[in-house]
């Protein structure tokens, strides 16, 4: 069976979870048939990452032009074409290429999920596609395993421990800490809220706090370093450590992870870690109260020390 996915990414990670969930779950749904996946990738070119395995795909066509699509029309006939985008060009590919069956996401569905978190939007999209493949019958979606190199994860742990010990801290396995992994888009208003959140945590627990900011702009990282109140229980060594292996290892060893990044919640679900995900991506006083309530619960019920 040959399946073509048509997808458009806005970032290097965007859509990776969706593509992986579809590849894994379609295989489970259509057993025992052997399936080959092809991918038409529009927008940003995505590479292998913590979710996506490039070898899941037999062929990848990145931004094919009209002529390339028409040539492929003569070369390949698909059993199923799935359109995960709603652009005119994706529909051109969707209708021009030969296929026995076609599935797409309705414009209404796109509008309904437009404002949801990236990872949640991808899960809803995957559920909608799989339900259609299953002839509108419910299908219990399975989260994918992570695409992680164990040797690299082990080496990352050694580096983290070396950094911790060099700054007078305990090794990960002996360190009681809460991991905050936040995306900051508006530093002027949000850094103060991050400060408030950390102070609230330190008031309610006897754990240290490791803070990582998900932003590649050096000026924002410098501003966070300048504005965060210095405290012996705040560890800033990993402030700009956006390597996913660092985040994975810190999630694994923390008492709980606090994040406004949906992809990190999925990672925590897959590896079985506690996490707190505020209802809005921007840190507000309401969100701080929400997080504080959960921290108090964990402190009393789950990780007293």
């Amino acid at each position: 069976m040959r399946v073509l996915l048509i997808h458009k990414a806005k970032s290097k990670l965007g859509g990776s979870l969706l593509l992986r969930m579809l590849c894994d779950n379609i295989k489970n749904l259509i057993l025992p048939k052997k399936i080959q996946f092809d991918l038409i990738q529009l927008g940003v070119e995505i590479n292998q990452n913590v979710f996506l395995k490039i070898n899941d795909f037999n062929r990848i066509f990145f931004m094919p032009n009209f002529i390339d699509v028409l040539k492929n029309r003569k070369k390949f006939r698909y059993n199923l074409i799935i359109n995960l985008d709603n652009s005119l060009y994706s529909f051109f590919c969707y209708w021009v290429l030969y296929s026995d069956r076609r599935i797409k996401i309705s414009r209404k569905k796109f509008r309904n999920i437009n404002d949801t978190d990236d990872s949640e939007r991808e899960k809803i999209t995957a559920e909608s596609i799989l339900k259609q493949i299953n002839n509108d019958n419910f299908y219990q979606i399975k989260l994918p395993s992570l695409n992680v190199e164990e040797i690299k994860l082990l080496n990352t742990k050694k580096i983290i421990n070396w950094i911790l010990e060099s700054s007078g801290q305990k090794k990960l396995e002996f360190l009681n800490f809460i991991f905050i992994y936040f995306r900051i888009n508006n530093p002027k208003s949000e850094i103060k809220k991050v400060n408030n959140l950390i102070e609230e945590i330190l008031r309610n627990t006897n754990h240290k706090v490791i803070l990582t900011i998900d932003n590649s702009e050096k000026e924002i990282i410098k501003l966070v370093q300048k504005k965060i109140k210095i405290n012996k229980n705040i560890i800033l060594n990993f402030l700009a450590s956006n390597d996913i292996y660092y985040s994975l290892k810190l999630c694994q060893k923390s008492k709980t992870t606090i994040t406004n990044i949906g992809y990190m919640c999925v990672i925590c679900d897959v590896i079985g870690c506690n996490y707190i995900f505020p209802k809005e991506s921007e840190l507000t006083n309401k969100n701080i109260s929400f997080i504080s309530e959960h921290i108090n619960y964990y402190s009393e019920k789950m990780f007293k020390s």
Side-chain angles (χ1 to χ4, degrees), residues 191-226:
I191 293 174
K192 184 178 179 181
K193 297 286 175 49
V194 171
N195 253 324
N196 293 342
L197 173 61
I198 292 173
E199 289 177 357
E200 186 72 17
I201 291 170
L202 295 179
R203 272 197 300 269
N204 288 287
T205 72
N206 59 349
H207 294 78
K208 298 191 181 237
V209 170
I210 292 180
L211 175 64
T212 294
I213 298 300
D214 179 47
N215 198 303
S216 58
E217 295 182 36
K218 292 182 180 179
E219 291 305 314
I220 289 182
I221 298 298
K222 287 179 181 178
L223 193 59
V224 173
Q225 286 175 320
K226 184 178 178 182

Side-chain angles (χ1 to χ4, degrees), residues 177-192:
F177 71 97
I178 292 171
F179 178 42
I180 300 179
Y181 186 33
F182 252 79
R183 179 175 293 140
I184 288 182
N185 297 315
N186 187 357
K188 289 185 179 179
S189 63
E190 292 184 69
I191 293 174
K192 184 178 179 181

Side-chain angles (χ1 to χ4, degrees), residues 39-54:
L39 172 67
I40 290 180
Q41 178 65 27
L42 308 175
V44 177
E45 186 175 8
I46 51 178
N47 299 313
Q48 186 148 302
N49 56 53
V50 67
F51 295 123
L52 189 67
K53 289 181 177 178
I54 296 300

Side-chain angles (χ1 to χ4, degrees), residues 127-167:
E127 287 169 354
S128 176
I129 292 294
L130 291 162
K131 184 179 178 182
Q132 291 181 66
I133 293 174
N134 203 28
N135 299 312
D136 289 328
N137 295 313
F138 175 74
Y139 174 79
Q140 182 63 53
I141 196 165
K142 298 178 179 64
L143 288 175
S145 58
L146 299 180
N147 183 31
V148 173
E149 297 175 31
E150 290 300 326
I151 294 297
K152 188 173 179 181
L153 193 61
L154 181 61
N155 289 335
T156 299
K157 179 185 175 183
K158 292 177 181 177
I159 295 170
I160 291 173
N161 279 336
W162 179 81
I163 293 171
L164 287 170
E165 289 187 299
S166 298
S167 58

